[in-house]
Short mmCIF file of all heavy atoms in Angstrom, two decimals:
data_model
loop_
_atom_site.label_atom_id
_atom_site.label_comp_id
_atom_site.label_asym_id
_atom_site.label_seq_id
_atom_site.Cartn_x
_atom_site.Cartn_y
_atom_site.Cartn_z
N ASN B 579 -28.45 20.49 -86.94
CA ASN B 579 -27.76 21.14 -88.06
C ASN B 579 -27.43 22.61 -87.84
O ASN B 579 -27.01 23.29 -88.76
CB ASN B 579 -28.61 21.01 -89.33
CG ASN B 579 -29.91 21.80 -89.22
OD1 ASN B 579 -30.51 21.84 -88.15
ND2 ASN B 579 -30.33 22.41 -90.31
N GLN B 580 -27.62 23.12 -86.63
CA GLN B 580 -27.41 24.55 -86.44
C GLN B 580 -26.31 24.80 -85.42
O GLN B 580 -26.15 24.05 -84.46
CB GLN B 580 -28.70 25.23 -85.95
CG GLN B 580 -29.77 25.34 -87.04
CD GLN B 580 -31.01 26.05 -86.53
OE1 GLN B 580 -32.08 25.49 -86.50
NE2 GLN B 580 -30.85 27.30 -86.12
N ALA B 581 -25.57 25.89 -85.65
CA ALA B 581 -24.51 26.30 -84.74
C ALA B 581 -24.53 27.81 -84.64
O ALA B 581 -24.96 28.52 -85.54
CB ALA B 581 -23.16 25.81 -85.24
N THR B 582 -24.03 28.31 -83.53
CA THR B 582 -23.91 29.75 -83.34
C THR B 582 -22.72 30.27 -84.13
O THR B 582 -21.94 29.50 -84.71
CB THR B 582 -23.73 30.08 -81.85
OG1 THR B 582 -22.47 29.55 -81.42
CG2 THR B 582 -24.85 29.48 -81.02
N ALA B 583 -22.53 31.58 -84.13
CA ALA B 583 -21.38 32.17 -84.84
C ALA B 583 -20.05 31.69 -84.25
O ALA B 583 -19.04 31.65 -84.94
CB ALA B 583 -21.47 33.69 -84.76
N GLU B 584 -20.07 31.28 -82.97
CA GLU B 584 -18.85 30.78 -82.34
C GLU B 584 -18.62 29.29 -82.58
O GLU B 584 -17.66 28.71 -82.09
CB GLU B 584 -18.90 31.04 -80.83
CG GLU B 584 -18.92 32.51 -80.43
CD GLU B 584 -20.32 33.10 -80.57
OE1 GLU B 584 -21.30 32.32 -80.66
OE2 GLU B 584 -20.43 34.35 -80.62
N GLY B 585 -19.56 28.64 -83.30
CA GLY B 585 -19.41 27.21 -83.57
C GLY B 585 -19.97 26.32 -82.48
O GLY B 585 -19.67 25.12 -82.44
N LEU B 586 -20.79 26.88 -81.60
CA LEU B 586 -21.42 26.10 -80.54
C LEU B 586 -22.83 25.70 -80.96
O LEU B 586 -23.44 26.35 -81.81
CB LEU B 586 -21.47 26.92 -79.25
CG LEU B 586 -20.11 27.36 -78.69
CD1 LEU B 586 -20.30 28.24 -77.46
CD2 LEU B 586 -19.25 26.15 -78.36
N PRO B 587 -23.36 24.63 -80.37
CA PRO B 587 -24.69 24.17 -80.79
C PRO B 587 -25.78 25.15 -80.40
O PRO B 587 -25.73 25.75 -79.31
CB PRO B 587 -24.85 22.83 -80.06
CG PRO B 587 -23.92 22.91 -78.90
CD PRO B 587 -22.76 23.72 -79.37
N VAL B 588 -26.74 25.33 -81.28
CA VAL B 588 -27.95 26.09 -80.95
C VAL B 588 -28.81 25.21 -80.06
O VAL B 588 -28.99 24.02 -80.32
CB VAL B 588 -28.71 26.48 -82.23
CG1 VAL B 588 -30.06 27.08 -81.88
CG2 VAL B 588 -27.88 27.46 -83.05
N LEU B 589 -29.34 25.76 -78.97
CA LEU B 589 -30.13 25.00 -78.01
C LEU B 589 -31.56 25.53 -77.97
O LEU B 589 -31.78 26.71 -77.70
CB LEU B 589 -29.49 25.07 -76.62
CG LEU B 589 -28.06 24.52 -76.51
CD1 LEU B 589 -27.53 24.69 -75.10
CD2 LEU B 589 -28.00 23.07 -76.94
N PHE B 590 -32.50 24.64 -78.23
CA PHE B 590 -33.91 25.00 -78.12
C PHE B 590 -34.39 24.92 -76.66
O PHE B 590 -35.23 25.70 -76.23
CB PHE B 590 -34.77 24.07 -78.96
CG PHE B 590 -34.61 24.28 -80.45
CD1 PHE B 590 -34.99 23.29 -81.35
CD2 PHE B 590 -34.11 25.46 -80.96
CE1 PHE B 590 -34.86 23.47 -82.71
CE2 PHE B 590 -33.98 25.66 -82.33
CZ PHE B 590 -34.35 24.66 -83.21
N VAL B 591 -33.90 23.91 -75.92
CA VAL B 591 -34.23 23.74 -74.51
C VAL B 591 -32.92 23.72 -73.73
O VAL B 591 -32.01 22.95 -74.07
CB VAL B 591 -35.02 22.44 -74.26
CG1 VAL B 591 -35.37 22.31 -72.78
CG2 VAL B 591 -36.29 22.41 -75.10
N LYS B 592 -32.83 24.53 -72.69
CA LYS B 592 -31.56 24.63 -71.97
C LYS B 592 -31.80 25.21 -70.58
O LYS B 592 -32.92 25.59 -70.22
CB LYS B 592 -30.58 25.52 -72.74
CG LYS B 592 -31.07 26.95 -72.95
CD LYS B 592 -30.06 27.78 -73.75
CE LYS B 592 -30.59 29.20 -73.96
NZ LYS B 592 -29.61 30.03 -74.71
N ASP B 593 -30.71 25.23 -69.80
CA ASP B 593 -30.62 25.91 -68.51
C ASP B 593 -31.47 25.23 -67.43
O ASP B 593 -32.14 24.24 -67.65
CB ASP B 593 -31.00 27.39 -68.65
CG ASP B 593 -30.05 28.14 -69.57
OD1 ASP B 593 -28.92 27.66 -69.74
OD2 ASP B 593 -30.44 29.19 -70.11
N LEU B 594 -31.40 25.83 -66.21
CA LEU B 594 -32.13 25.36 -65.04
C LEU B 594 -32.92 26.52 -64.46
O LEU B 594 -32.33 27.59 -64.17
CB LEU B 594 -31.16 24.82 -63.99
CG LEU B 594 -30.51 23.48 -64.29
CD1 LEU B 594 -29.46 23.14 -63.23
CD2 LEU B 594 -31.55 22.38 -64.35
N PRO B 595 -34.22 26.36 -64.24
CA PRO B 595 -35.03 25.25 -64.74
C PRO B 595 -35.10 25.32 -66.26
O PRO B 595 -34.84 26.37 -66.84
CB PRO B 595 -36.40 25.50 -64.10
CG PRO B 595 -36.45 26.98 -63.92
CD PRO B 595 -35.04 27.39 -63.57
N PRO B 596 -35.43 24.22 -66.92
CA PRO B 596 -35.39 24.20 -68.39
C PRO B 596 -36.29 25.26 -69.00
O PRO B 596 -37.46 25.40 -68.63
CB PRO B 596 -35.87 22.79 -68.74
CG PRO B 596 -35.64 21.99 -67.51
CD PRO B 596 -35.83 22.92 -66.37
#
Side-chain angles (χ1 to χ4, degrees):
N579 66 323
Q580 288 182 242
T582 65
E584 296 80 17
L586 300 176
V588 172
L589 300 178
F590 289 160
V591 181
K592 60 182 179 179
D593 297 338
L594 287 174

